[in-house]
Amino acid sequence: MITDRYSRQSFLGDNSENIFSNCSVGIVGLGGGGMHIAQQLAHIGFKNYVLYDAQTIELSNLNRMVGATLEDVKNKLLKIDIAERVIKNLQDNTSILKFPTRWQENPDALRGCDIIFGCVDGFSERSELESCSRRYLIPYIDIGMDVFPPARVAGQVILSMPGGPCLRCLDFLNEEKMALEAGVYGAAGPNPQVVWSNGALASTAVGVAVNLLTDWSSSLREEVYLSYDGNSNLISVHPKAIYKSYNKCDHYPLDNIGDPIFEKI
Amino acid sequence: MSLSLKLTRELYNNIIKDLDRPHSFAYERVGFVFGRIGNKGQSDELIILNRYLSVDDNNYEKNKRVGASINSRAIRDVMQKALNDSVCVFHVHLHYGTGRPGLSRTDKEGITPLIPSFQAVCPLQKHGILLFNEDSISAWVLSQNKKSFLKVDKVSIIGYPINILY
């Protein structure tokens, strides 16, 4: 049953409010993208969060971190604390686990999530996060953006569904990119980020998650690989998702699930 | 501590498809699902299922008192797999109807005594019972002391779409 607060999203289904309030979401990276996601999920009705970000807010973050304030910068707040405030200003009875660390230092809570949003910098970070998601059978939604010379804004939203094509299958990650990564992610300075691009990508990612959980459209039945063109303001299906068909993922076979086990040889 | 269980939608569909097949004399079919523990020892323990073993038609025994009866060869094969691969084992069968299914008296008498044998050969993983019906899944896990079965709090079917059952 839908309460008045969510009456405008009743098309998501009679049980949608229940689904959102019981679902546990992990958000790794509470910068421009992650904070948008947290805010939108709280608006929609999600109540259970696992948040990871080791950083304290800086003045340069204010160009894109929704919900953050000048006062937060003066008080040197942790990004996860700002995210918690944003969520709690929209939802009561929440469960928010916050880790001011890299997720690898506190992985247990992440493993209990129903969906993980990866809003991290760098291909190796994405690779590690996806590996964990696959091992614990958690759908992983990756977002990111960058600015390429001379002035091209590009980004992606990718759903990595256990059993389906992974970031490597889709060639978003490959060994060459991983090898080139250090100091070469984008080319317009330290990780350029702007609020409108972050917002477009975050909104798309949230839309994918909601569709996955409620099946409101009855149309999401295969991998999601969307590319964002910030110059023409278009989000479209990436050619690799159009022109290639994918069988089972060889990078993360379903035999490699659960906690690693050690065998005496 | 809460217990959760996950499987992919593809695995779920394969299990249903197999269990729904008619047998020449058994009223219903049974199978076994294998998996591994995730997050062992944490407050939210997780069992992830990844393989299904259909019981061969020849391993059913005629028994009019129960829906399905399988022979010791079928059970030994499952125990051997648990021992070799160090995996969780869940006995699975299908009820008809909707809503969260429960074990019948026959299920409790016939299936629950099986599970400790899997625990004996593979004590490091968890073992139990899965019960599907037309729109839901229930699961029980044998407790460490083998004296009772704990109801799994949450079962998630991962795929398009995600279904989370509480």
Side-chain angles (χ1 to χ4, degrees), chain A residues 22-23 108 111-115 135-139 159 161-162 211-213 215 220-224 248 254-255 257-259 261 263, chain B residues 6-8 10 34-42 44 46 48-51 84-86 125 154 156 158-164 166:
Chain A
N22 283 305
C23 181
D108 295 338
R111 294 167 185 170
C113 292
D114 297 308
I115 287 189
R135 186 165 271 280
Y136 295 93
L137 230 60
I138 306 171
L159 167 62
M161 176 65 79
N211 207 353
L212 209 47
L213 287 164
D215 200 26
L220 179 53
R221 294 291 180 262
E222 60 184 5
E223 67 276 355
V224 174
K248 290 188 189 309
L254 285 170
D255 282 340
I257 45 95
D259 294 338
I261 57 170
E263 292 182 355
Chain B
K6 283 184 169 179
L7 69 165
T8 62
E10 185 182 354
F34 305 104
R36 289 229 164 90
I37 294 176
N39 241 17
K40 186 178 174 65
Q42 302 306 315
D44 295 325
L46 176 61
I48 306 166
L49 302 176
N50 67 338
R51 279 200 188 276
N84 290 349
D85 297 347
S86 190
Q125 299 287 340
K154 175 175 156 185
S156 304
I158 305 299
Y160 301 102
I162 298 171
N163 270 137
I164 303 175
Y166 294 95

Side-chain angles (χ1 to χ4, degrees), chain A residues 5 15 33 37 96 101 143 149 164 184 187 222 256 261:
Chain A
R5 173 172 170 170
N15 198 33
I37 287 174
I96 301 176
T101 63
I143 70 167
V184 192
E222 60 184 5
N256 296 350
I261 57 170

Side-chain angles (χ1 to χ4, degrees), chain A residues 166-182:
Chain A
C166 68
L167 300 184
R168 279 182 165 76
C169 294
L170 295 167
D171 204 31
F172 177 74
L173 288 181
N174 56 48
E175 294 313 314
E176 187 188 341
K177 285 182 183 176
M178 307 271 286
L180 283 173
E181 175 172 62

Side-chain angles (χ1 to χ4, degrees), chain A residues 57-103:
Chain A
I57 189 169
E58 296 173 353
L59 189 62
S60 63
N61 298 145
L62 285 188
N63 81 320
R64 65 195 182 279
M65 268 185 64
V66 294
T69 67
L70 279 165
E71 200 66 21
D72 294 338
V73 175
K74 281 183 203 158
N75 294 332
K76 296 187 170 62
L77 287 196
L78 287 167
K79 290 181 180 179
I80 47 168
D81 290 338
I82 300 170
E84 181 185 35
R85 185 185 67 214
V86 165
I87 294 165
K88 284 189 166 175
N89 279 345
L90 290 164
Q91 287 292 337
D92 51 17
N93 298 322
T94 54
S95 161
I96 301 176
L97 298 176
K98 304 179 290 180
F99 297 95
T101 63
R102 298 178 72 225
W103 71 267

